């Protein structure tokens, strides 16, 4: 029987593809005990810590993505913590056939207690969405989608109600229609525009760090190394506004896990149209040594829209851990 004992608080590094018992022991002996700590190292640092273990090279660590695997395992554990804490506190478990899922809703209020921003996250998966203002239906849709809820069946519309839902005549018919009917058609067109704005929502899908020396993403940078933050913006839900032109401002911040104040990484602005997908790049002059998590905020405004208040949209996204050495 092996005399080896697992160190208190040490993570099982053998869950990472490419790491066996010998490498895990070397890392633990060097004081690298957790997935978070391993994810904060550079491939060169890992090779130095492991020592003369055969066939462990910087190229192998990068190819097998030890750092990325460690980061994913660390994030997965953080997402599972609330469930573990509830079990430790003696929370009742659901009966057979039942399940629990938790959500966190964060509201940013102004001085008049109006909702400026809504943020909702599913705790178990870390999936989250952020939008400007308060959109009750979108919040409910998030719960339905991520908890796989079954909506209650909708009662059929009665015949008397259906008769009141008259079809809107085509715009060409307004020329020969009475003045009262023309006003009704104009109101319907205005309502359609407002509906299109209300249904539109941009979504940031991807945040990538691109060092200036390469065109490929990397999450390990040198101290002060310039880089671009490449943002992929999904505008497919804004297809009803496909003819519109938007002014955008993209701002990227960096925050440290230690709770230090976030710092500005860079900002970009310009115009774009509501195609299926758009790319925005934000230039940064570099960051000092440390571990960071980048957060991007993109604000779109429809300056030509005659809506009150003016139509504007907000979407946010957090990236993976970034190490600067």
């Amino acid at each position: 029987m092996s005399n080896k004992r697992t160190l208190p608080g040490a993570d099982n590094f053998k869950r990472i593809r490419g790491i066996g018992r010998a490498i895990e022991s070397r890392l633990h002996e060097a004081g690298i005990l957790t997935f978070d700590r391993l994810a904060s190292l550079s491939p060169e640092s890992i090779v130095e810590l492991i020592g003369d273990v055969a066939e462990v090279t910087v190229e192998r660590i990068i190819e097998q993505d030890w750092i990325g695997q460690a980061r994913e395992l660390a994030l997965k554990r953080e997402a599972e913590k609330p469930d573990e804490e509830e079990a430790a506190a003696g929370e009742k478990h659901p009966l057979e056939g039942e399940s629990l899922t938790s959500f966190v809703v964060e509201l940013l209020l102004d001085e008049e207690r109006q909702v400026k921003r809504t943020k909702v996250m599913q705790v178990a998966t870390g999936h989250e969405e952020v939008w400007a203002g308060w959109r009750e239906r979108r919040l409910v849709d998030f719960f339905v989608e991520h908890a796989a809820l079954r909506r209650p069946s909708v009662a059929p519309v009665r015949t008397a109600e259906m008769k009141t839902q008259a079809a809107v005549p085509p715009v060409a018919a307004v020329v020969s229609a009475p003045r009262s009917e023309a006003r009704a058609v104009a109101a319907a067109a205005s309502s359609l525009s407002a509906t299109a704005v209300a249904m539109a929502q941009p979504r940031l899908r991807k945040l990538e760090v691109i060092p200036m020396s390469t065109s490929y993403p990397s999450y390990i940078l040198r101290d002060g190394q310039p880089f671009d933050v490449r943002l992929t913006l999904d505008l497919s839900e804004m297809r009803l506004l496909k003819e519109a032109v938007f002014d955008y401002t993209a701002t990227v911040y960096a925050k440290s896990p230690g709770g230090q104040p976030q710092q500005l990484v860079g900002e970009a602005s310009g115009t774009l149209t509501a195609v299926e997908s758009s790319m925005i790049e934000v230039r940064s002059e570099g960051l000092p040594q440390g571990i960071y998590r980048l957060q991007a905020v993109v604000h779109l405004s429809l300056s030509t829209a005659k809506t009150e208040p003016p139509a504007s949209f907000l979407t946010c996204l957090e990236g993976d851990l970034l190490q600067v050495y």
Side-chain angles (χ1 to χ4, degrees):
M1 180 179 296
S2 173
N3 293 326
K4 290 271 187 184
R5 292 187 303 171
T6 302
L7 295 174
D11 286 332
N12 180 11
F13 288 158
K14 296 189 296 295
R15 294 176 63 185
I16 296 175
R17 182 175 61 87
I19 294 182
R21 185 179 299 277
I23 297 176
E24 179 187 58
S25 298
R26 292 286 185 97
L27 290 170
H28 286 172
E29 290 168 5
I32 311 302
L33 303 180
T34 65
F35 294 127
D36 301 85
R37 184 72 180 91
L38 182 58
S40 70
L41 299 175
S42 67
E44 293 82 2
S45 299
I46 295 174
V47 171
E48 291 177 6
L49 290 170
I50 291 176
D52 56 350
V53 176
E55 298 182 357
V56 175
T57 63
V58 171
E59 291 73 17
R60 172 183 167 182
I61 293 172
I62 294 174
E63 181 180 354
Q64 295 179 336
D65 194 19
W66 290 11
I67 295 170
Q69 292 183 71
R71 186 187 301 119
E72 291 297 325
L73 289 168
L75 293 175
K76 182 178 180 181
R77 182 179 57 198
E78 286 297 317
E80 293 172 349
K81 270 186 178 179
D83 294 335
E84 295 171 358
E85 292 170 358
E86 287 182 2
E91 293 284 341
K92 291 183 178 179
H93 291 280
L95 300 176
E96 184 177 358
E98 297 179 340
S99 62
L100 291 174
T101 185
S102 301
F103 296 87
V104 176
V105 179
E106 178 183 281
L107 303 178
L108 178 63
L109 307 179
D110 60 18
E111 296 177 353
E112 298 180 355
R113 311 302 291 175
Q114 297 292 320
V115 180
K116 294 183 63 178
R117 185 188 69 203
T118 303
K119 178 178 179 179
V120 57
M121 181 185 73
Q122 186 180 29
V123 174
T125 63
H127 292 150
E128 69 176 34
E129 289 186 13
V130 182
W131 60 84
W134 168 258
R135 299 187 183 184
E136 182 176 346
R137 178 166 181 177
R138 181 166 179 185
L139 185 62
V140 173
D141 287 343
F142 185 91
F143 295 149
V144 170
E145 177 183 355
H146 292 278
L149 301 180
R150 297 183 62 183
R151 292 181 183 271
S153 57
V154 180
V157 180
R158 293 189 295 271
T159 304
E161 295 173 337
M162 294 178 63
K163 290 180 179 179
T164 65
Q165 300 175 4
V168 178
V171 176
V174 177
V175 177
S176 59
R179 187 170 301 175
S180 60
E181 291 184 17
R183 285 197 298 267
V185 173
S190 175
S191 174
L192 176 62
S193 176
T195 301
V197 171
M199 293 177 62
Q201 180 58 42
R203 297 179 188 273
L204 269 176
R205 296 297 188 188
K206 189 182 296 185
L207 186 158
E208 298 174 303
V209 176
I210 314 295
M212 293 297 292
S213 59
T214 178
S215 58
Y216 300 99
S218 175
Y219 294 91
I220 301 175
L221 301 173
R222 298 188 307 275
D223 182 8
Q225 180 181 6
F227 61 92
D228 287 333
V229 179
R230 182 189 296 163
L231 305 174
T232 301
L233 188 62
D234 181 359
L235 300 174
S236 59
E237 293 186 19
M238 306 183 76
R239 53 187 175 273
L240 293 178
L241 302 173
K242 61 183 179 180
E243 302 298 330
V245 177
F246 297 90
D247 297 323
Y248 74 81
T249 300
T251 309
V252 179
Y253 302 94
K255 57 182 181 179
S256 302
Q260 298 179 358
Q262 65 182 12
Q263 55 183 299
L264 178 66
V265 171
E267 192 171 47
S269 59
T271 60
L272 51 82
T273 55
V275 295
E276 289 293 313
S277 179
S278 292
M279 201 83 71
I280 298 175
E281 289 194 350
V282 179
R283 175 64 53 85
S284 171
E285 297 303 321
L287 290 168
Q289 292 184 5
I291 304 297
Y292 303 94
R293 189 180 295 279
L294 300 186
Q295 180 182 47
V297 180
V298 176
H299 179 265
L300 300 177
S301 60
L302 194 57
S303 57
T304 57
K306 298 179 180 180
T307 59
E308 189 61 40
S312 63
F313 311 88
L314 188 72
T315 179
C316 307
L317 182 67
E318 282 193 349
D320 292 333
L321 288 175
L322 172 68
Q323 181 192 1
V324 181
Y325 67 95

